[in-house]
Amino acid sequence: MAVLVLLSYEKGDQIRKISRSAISAAGKLGTEVHALLVGDHLDGLSQKASQLQGIQKLLVAEHAAYAHMQAEPVADLIASLAGSYEFIVAPANAEGKDILPRLAGLLDVQPISDVVEMIDASTFVRPIYAGSILATVTSKDAKKLLSVRGTTFEAVAETGGNATIEKIENLPASDKQLSVFKELKLSQSDRPELESARVVISGGRGMQSGENFVLLEKIADQLDAAIGASRAAVDAGFVPNDYQVGQTGKIVAPELYVAVALSGAIQHLAGMKDSKIVVAINKDPEAPIFKVSDYGIIGDLFEILPQLEAALKAR
Amino acid sequence: MKILVPVKRVVDSNIKPLVKSDNSGVEVGGVKMSMNPFDETAVEEAVRLKEQKIASEVVVISIGEPKCQDTLRTAMAMGADRGILVTSEDALESLSVAKILQHFVTKEQPDVVLMGKQASDDDMNATGQILAAKLGWAQGTFVSKLELSDGKAQITREIDDGQEILELTLPAVITTDLRLNEPRFASLPNIMKAKKKPIETVALADLGVDTAVRLQVKSVAESSSVREGVIVGSVEELMDKLQNEAKVI
Ligand SMILES: Cc1cc2nc3c(=O)[nH]c(=O)nc-3n(C[C@H](O)[C@H](O)[C@H](O)COP(=O)(O)OP(=O)(O)OC[C@H]3O[C@@H](n4cnc5c(N)ncnc54)[C@H](O)[C@@H]3O)c2cc1C
Ligand SMILES: Cc1cc2nc3c(=O)[nH]c(=O)nc-3n(C[C@H](O)[C@H](O)[C@H](O)COP(=O)(O)OP(=O)(O)OC[C@H]3O[C@@H](n4cnc5c(N)ncnc54)[C@H](O)[C@@H]3O)c2cc1C
């Protein structure tokens, strides 16, 4: 049973960790796992991707039309390759969720989003209702299209593999220009990627302003942490949108998640409940976040965060 | 310009959903139901486009039990012009919903289908993309800013590490991020007015659309997020727990 995994990478040249989780998930479905790298100017990335563990073959589709991974041409491309595969797996990030269901429409398949567990080759577990319920679903489609969460499948190693590289020569024509790329606005950050950071520290509405996030940054510096936020904090303009953790934001499962001045709404929990250790800092003893935390401190963030920073420095 | 907005009736997102005692599904009987919040955003955007005279007609469509009429009425109270109700007793998967929508797109010929990026109950995040593929249309997913002009849509999309701006050729399917706007509350006079707006009711069985189940829900279970919640008295105590008990720093 052959599985094709769509790789997702950062605009620099870093294969995303969620791609490596997708490969490990694919390994549970079939013995023959191929990875697909799509884009333009892929020489450096191809070399890197061919060293990923867990794949036998790396397919490379290089064309200017794929430079921005727009769903229309990329789904057409994968559809042209789909005949050889029983499973097609994509990471459940914005890119995978854009492309995979479109592919499903082309192939007339019901896609299965956000898979967190493989029971067998046709039975999967996925969260519904903002993660408060887990559904076990069985697919009757001959070809199965899955997007998988990075948080529950251990990522394969970045190196040590030796996949053969195969350049795809017959790219399907995609001259329709349904969608034209205009501009990319990346949020700049020197911190680790939210979805792969070992420690995440998130702020909520109680932070009061974007300036106050400096208090979180100082702690993040000590722990090499990524910074996240609740929707209320993002909507208030404290931090950029891609900081949002939750049902409609990023899904994270770090070793340590520190929730500062956020109440713990179910939609927020959807994005962080699989974290190993959760710490809550909140001034309201009744805040629901305490019930979903391992450790909590009741108090004012403006007093506690500087103390925490000092304690971390003194380690 | 005509805009079609699919609206799904879902368990209100402020309510904690309960699993049926036999684990076969989620209890929806007697539970407060509302319009999927992502669809509220889509309706709001369509109505604003109409108010700006960019759109000429906003048609809303809902598929499900007859009660979906309430969802259509809510959308019309917000400003949509008319509704289509497709009645079905079954829980339909996104592929089936997309096929039903395709049927009505062919009939209604909208320039834009504007819909939620996901339904807050099943969180599948698939229907819009499937529909776009079936129609051979451009798709703009997770949209937080939308500008429509002659035959084009300029969209800002929320992506993994920031935002992306694309220009789509219309007709197109556009799915909404909650950030696109802040949906209005319908006023009482508008709720009254909406009662007089037309709803066309069609039985799914009469459409001849294949809605055979491909993805069967075998069972559901609650996913608890409850933890011990040890309250510590000081930062020193917290440091001690994290270093010596949890061993994460
Ligand atoms: C369909 C849908 C999808 C959603 N998706 C998401 C999502 O993806 N992610 C998300 O986060 N939310 C999401 N939400 C929103 C969610 O329901 C909540 O509204 C939101 O998470 C609340 O953010 P908050 O906890 O920061 O704010 P609040 O609930 O206002 O909490 C602020 C907290 O800060 C504390 N506080 C205030 N000042 C201080 C201080 N000085 N020191 C210490 N503590 C202090 C308060 O006690 C309070 O507990 C979604 C909602 C809907 C309907
Ligand atoms: C416990 C449980 C058991 C279920 N069992 C089954 C089963 O056995 N078989 C089965 O086929 N399905 C079943 N379903 C339903 C099915 O899983 C979902 O309804 C389906 O996956 C559709 O996905 P979605 O609504 O999440 O679509 P999404 O792709 O997340 O929705 C995106 C958008 O599509 C539009 N949309 C979706 N549905 C409608 C609608 N009805 N009317 C108008 N617009 C709509 C809305 O604009 C929405 O914003 C079950 C669901 C649950 C919760």
Side-chain angles (χ1 to χ4, degrees):
Chain A
M1 289 199 259
V3 190
L4 183 66
V5 181
L6 175 67
L7 298 179
S8 173
Y9 52 89
E10 284 172 54
K11 290 294 172 272
D13 59 348
Q14 208 53 34
I15 310 260
R16 290 184 203 274
K17 186 178 171 218
I18 194 170
S19 300
R20 295 189 281 121
S21 296
I23 292 172
S24 104
K28 298 183 193 292
L29 295 170
T31 42
E32 188 72 16
V33 179
H34 298 173
L36 172 64
L37 187 62
V38 185
D40 199 14
H41 306 298
L42 295 173
D43 286 347
L45 269 171
S46 306
Q47 288 312 318
K48 268 192 189 163
S50 67
Q51 292 169 34
L52 292 169
Q53 295 241 333
I55 57 170
Q56 287 81 49
K57 200 199 275 183
L58 174 72
L59 303 178
V60 179
E62 214 170 1
H63 193 280
Y66 304 139
H68 301 286
M69 293 298 279
Q70 275 132 293
E72 296 86 351
V74 177
D76 285 348
L77 165 74
I78 307 175
S80 76
L81 305 170
S84 322
Y85 298 95
E86 193 167 340
F87 300 95
I88 298 172
V89 174
N93 59 3
E95 195 168 281
K97 287 182 168 186
D98 186 36
I99 295 167
L100 192 85
R102 186 172 180 102
L103 175 67
L106 297 177
L107 301 176
D108 198 42
V109 168
Q110 167 63 42
I112 310 157
S113 310
D114 292 298
V115 170
V116 292
E117 190 186 340
M118 315 272 179
I119 307 276
D120 59 40
S122 54
T123 310
F124 314 98
V125 179
R126 59 179 301 270
I128 57 175
Y129 286 94
S132 60
I133 291 175
L134 291 171
T136 304
V137 294
T138 300
S139 170
K140 294 185 201 163
D141 279 306
K143 204 180 288 298
K144 295 174 181 61
L145 270 54
L146 299 90
S147 70
V148 301
R149 286 265 177 100
T151 44
T152 50
F153 298 98
E154 180 129 21
V156 298
E158 277 173 290
T159 54
N162 185 19
T164 51
I165 301 181
E166 186 181 308
K167 268 211 153 181
I168 302 169
E169 302 294 348
N170 280 324
L171 301 171
S174 50
D175 51 3
K176 275 191 269 173
Q177 294 278 305
L178 291 174
S179 141
V180 178
F181 172 81
K182 290 285 176 191
E183 194 185 337
L184 187 64
K185 294 184 183 167
L186 291 182
S187 12
Q188 296 301 337
S189 171
D190 301 331
R191 300 197 182 278
E193 197 195 17
L194 198 50
E195 283 149 307
S196 52
R198 204 186 67 81
V199 178
V200 173
I201 173 156
S202 288
R205 195 196 314 265
M207 295 303 298
Q208 293 174 17
S209 73
E211 288 76 61
N212 289 338
F213 267 72
V214 171
L215 296 168
L216 300 184
E217 280 171 22
K218 287 181 179 163
I219 290 169
D221 288 342
Q222 297 299 319
L223 295 168
D224 193 24
I227 295 190
S230 71
R231 181 175 161 215
V234 168
D235 282 358
F238 300 169
V239 285
N241 297 345
D242 56 316
Y243 279 42
Q244 184 173 318
V245 171
Q247 183 185 18
T248 43
K250 299 269 162 70
I251 310 291
V252 304
E255 295 270 298
L256 173 61
Y257 188 88
V258 185
V260 182
L262 60 82
S263 61
I266 176 174
Q267 293 89 356
H268 186 80
L269 304 184
M272 45 64 75
K273 66 195 288 181
D274 291 327
S275 304
K276 188 168 165 238
I277 296 290
V278 177
V279 171
I281 300 173
N282 199 301
K283 68 177 182 189
D284 174 9
E286 302 298 321
I289 189 73
F290 287 121
K291 294 200 182 63
V292 295
S293 301
D294 298 283
Y295 307 111
I297 293 198
I298 299 166
D300 190 325
L301 72 95
F302 298 102
E303 283 165 29
I304 290 169
L305 291 182
Q307 288 177 27
L308 184 59
E309 186 201 343
L312 286 167
K313 270 191 180 152
R315 268 185 304 173
Chain B
M1 185 175 306
K2 183 166 167 181
I3 303 181
L4 181 69
V5 186
V7 291
K8 188 179 185 184
R9 184 169 182 265
V10 298
V11 171
D12 189 279
S13 54
N14 294 312
I15 285 174
K16 183 175 159 31
L18 294 175
V19 168
K20 286 185 184 157
S21 55
D22 63 356
N23 287 81
S24 65
V26 174
E27 195 58 71
V28 289
V31 176
K32 180 175 181 219
M33 305 291 281
S34 299
M35 189 190 306
N36 173 26
F38 298 86
D39 295 343
E40 265 183 283
T41 304
V43 172
E44 175 65 34
E45 195 70 12
V47 170
R48 287 186 193 183
L49 287 163
K50 187 167 177 206
E51 288 165 349
Q52 292 158 21
K53 311 247 183 290
I54 295 168
S56 51
E57 190 182 23
V58 177
V59 182
V60 286
I61 175 168
S62 193
I63 306 157
E65 50 175 337
K67 275 272 174 65
C68 292
Q69 213 191 101
D70 301 349
T71 315
L72 292 172
R73 293 277 173 222
T74 306
M76 292 189 294
M78 289 172 73
D81 297 298
R82 62 184 169 92
I84 301 170
L85 171 63
V86 183
T87 54
S88 157
E89 293 305 318
D90 306 324
L92 296 165
E93 55 195 32
S94 13
L95 182 65
S96 303
V97 172
K99 286 177 184 172
I100 297 165
L101 294 176
Q102 184 187 12
H103 174 97
F104 285 94
V105 167
T106 310
K107 194 166 163 234
E108 294 279 344
Q109 300 279 315
D111 301 277
V112 175
V113 178
L114 192 55
M115 58 200 286
K117 71 167 179 170
Q118 72 197 68
S120 63
D121 51 358
D122 294 299
D123 288 335
M124 195 61 98
N125 194 332
T127 310
Q129 299 89 313
I130 298 174
L131 176 64
K134 295 255 172 225
L135 294 165
W137 287 10
Q139 73 183 44
T141 51
F142 329 145
V143 169
S144 58
K145 190 162 179 239
L146 169 65
E147 282 162 68
L148 292 177
S149 57
D150 51 314
K152 305 267 182 224
Q154 171 125 333
I155 57 164
T156 301
R157 307 180 53 226
E158 300 295 318
I159 58 168
D160 291 303
D161 17 42
Q163 295 177 323
E164 176 183 70
I165 298 175
L166 299 177
E167 188 180 86
L168 308 182
T169 302
L170 299 184
V173 175
I174 291 170
T175 77
T176 59
D177 187 277
L178 292 175
R179 277 179 261 284
L180 184 59
N181 58 49
E182 188 70 50
R184 71 192 66 189
F185 290 104
S187 66
L188 197 58
N190 284 342
I191 293 172
M192 299 313 289
K193 257 199 264 171
K195 292 195 171 144
K196 298 202 187 80
K197 291 185 180 175
I199 293 182
E200 171 196 350
T201 304
V202 192
L204 174 60
D206 294 339
L207 293 180
V209 175
D210 167 25
T211 56
V213 173
R214 311 281 189 89
L215 192 66
Q216 191 89 45
V217 178
K218 279 181 66 182
S219 65
V220 301
E222 225 163 281
S223 160
S224 171
S225 39
V226 173
R227 298 182 188 226
E228 216 178 336
V230 174
I231 300 295
V232 296
S234 67
V235 167
E236 290 71 52
E237 201 182 328
L238 178 67
M239 286 295 291
D240 176 57
K241 295 278 190 200
L242 293 179
Q243 285 178 309
N244 303 318
E245 195 174 88
K247 298 192 168 57
V248 286
I249 60 170

